[in-house]
Amino acid sequence: TEKRFKLEEKITLLQQQNEELRARIEQNTAITRQLSEENANLQEYVEKEVEEKKKLSRTNEELLWKLQEGDAVSPVKLSPTSSASIYRCSSEDTSPVKVRVLRR
């Protein structure tokens, strides 16, 4: 009878552990589902950001091309009466010349 009692205790303990493991599996499944959804959302966000970056890069390249073509086709001459004036930064600086365009 004592052996039977010990076996029943062991069965009860194993059933409790089994229930705890099932609960953990359910919790892990729910967390996995949530993380999968978040991952999918993040991937979608990254794809949108990459597309936006490509679009901005293309726009930037187009603007640079237009700027270079504009300079090559018809150079802009600035006079004291023009809407923009160019000022040179200090020549003591050993770095390349810095130019600021100030709008009036």
Side-chain angles (χ1 to χ4, degrees):
T1 58
E2 188 176 323
K3 192 173 184 179
R4 182 177 175 177
F5 180 73
K6 286 185 180 184
L7 287 175
E8 287 176 356
E9 282 182 345
K10 195 164 196 159
I11 288 173
T12 303
L13 178 64
L14 290 173
Q15 286 174 338
Q16 288 174 349
Q17 288 176 347
N18 194 21
E19 289 301 315
E20 289 172 5
L21 290 173
R22 283 186 184 147
R24 287 176 60 186
I25 288 172
E26 288 177 19
Q27 184 180 15
N28 286 343
T29 301
I31 291 172
T32 300
R33 191 176 309 118
Q34 179 185 355
L35 289 175
S36 293
E37 290 174 14
E38 288 178 17
N39 188 38
N41 291 338
L42 286 172
Q43 285 179 342
E44 184 179 335
Y45 174 78
V46 166
E47 288 173 11
K48 286 180 181 179
E49 288 293 314
V50 166
E51 287 302 313
E52 184 66 22
K53 185 177 179 181
K54 286 179 184 178
K55 181 180 175 184
L56 289 172
S57 180
R58 286 190 301 267
T59 302
N60 188 37
E61 288 177 19
E62 181 182 337
L63 290 172
L64 285 171
W65 181 82
K66 285 180 180 179
L67 181 63
Q68 291 171 351
E69 286 298 307
D71 287 347
V73 174
S74 60
V76 177
K77 294 182 181 179
L78 296 176
S79 66
T81 59
S82 70
S83 63
S85 299
I86 296 179
Y87 294 94
R88 203 172 190 176
C89 292
S90 172
S91 60
E92 295 171 320
D93 191 359
T94 58
S95 65
V97 175
K98 298 176 186 174
V99 176
R100 273 191 351 202
V101 176
L102 301 176
R103 301 278 178 210
R104 291 185 183 172

